[in-house]
């Protein structure tokens, strides 16, 4: 079985390929033990999102399953996501 090589590159705001926007989005995710955690999304783009964690709830390199909840006025959109934490 082969694994994909992931190259992380820090980009300045002017070098970004995808614009990052701030939206009223929350992330609900199950941790490795099955506990649920809810986080506010700091910003989101076509290539990912960033969150602020306080108590090391996530582990780098682990594949998480979660739901992004977009709440705009009285309308809610739920988007299932699978993601890997890259930088903590």
């Amino acid at each position: 079985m082969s694994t994909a090589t992931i190259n992380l590159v820090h980009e300045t705001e002017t070098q970004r390929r995808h614009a990052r926007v701030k939206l009223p989005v929350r992330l609900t995710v199950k941790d490795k033990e099955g506990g649920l955690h809810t986080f506010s999304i700091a910003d989101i783009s076509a290539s990912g999102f960033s969150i602020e964690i306080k108590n090391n709830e996530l582990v780098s390199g682990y594949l998480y399953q979660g739901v992004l909840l977009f709440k705009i006025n009285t309308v809610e959109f739920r988007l299932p996501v699978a993601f890997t934490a890259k930088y903590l």
Side-chain angles (χ1 to χ4, degrees), residues 12-72:
T12 64
E13 191 170 339
T14 57
Q15 294 172 321
R16 290 184 184 147
R17 289 180 231 151
H18 305 289
R20 295 182 185 178
V21 295
K22 296 184 183 310
L23 293 174
V25 181
R26 298 194 58 80
L27 170 68
T28 302
V29 63
K30 273 190 182 178
D31 63 15
K32 290 169 44 170
E33 290 79 32
L36 285 176
H37 299 279
T38 301
F39 304 101
S40 292
I41 300 293
D43 58 38
I44 191 167
S45 73
S47 61
F49 51 86
S50 67
I51 59 174
E52 291 186 23
I53 60 173
K54 296 178 180 152
N55 301 321
N56 293 332
E57 296 95 338
L58 302 180
V59 177
S60 182
Y62 181 76
L63 179 63
Y64 290 96
Q65 302 289 326
V67 175
L68 288 173
L69 173 65
F70 296 82
K71 189 172 183 179
I72 303 168

